[in-house]
Amino acid sequence: MIRLIDDAMSPALGDIRGAGPEDVLYIRPAATARADFPKVWEAVGVALARGARVVVMQREES
């Protein structure tokens, strides 16, 4: 499953943590403006350890 994280939307933290090898998480630069970004980033780390592919976007268009 493909999941997008930005300043306006994000999957639930449990869904991020549960991501695995079949999942891709795209993180837009605007995501750092989220008040809960430290928690989101921690959840992304768990997903990465579980085998999810994590793409930290820079200037990519939406």
Side-chain angles (χ1 to χ4, degrees), residues 26-62:
Y26 286 94
I27 305 170
R28 289 189 175 153
T32 60
R34 297 177 62 90
D36 65 345
F37 186 71
K39 291 179 183 180
V40 170
W41 192 243
E42 180 273 332
V44 168
V46 172
L48 186 62
R50 291 175 45 87
R53 181 171 173 217
V54 176
V55 179
V56 179
M57 302 170 75
Q58 292 184 18
R59 294 185 187 97
E60 291 87 347
E61 295 295 321
S62 44

Side-chain angles (χ1 to χ4, degrees), residues 1-3 15 19-26 53:
M1 180 174 282
I2 296 175
R3 297 160 192 219
D15 291 342
E22 68 283 354
D23 298 307
V24 182
L25 302 172
Y26 286 94
R53 181 171 173 217

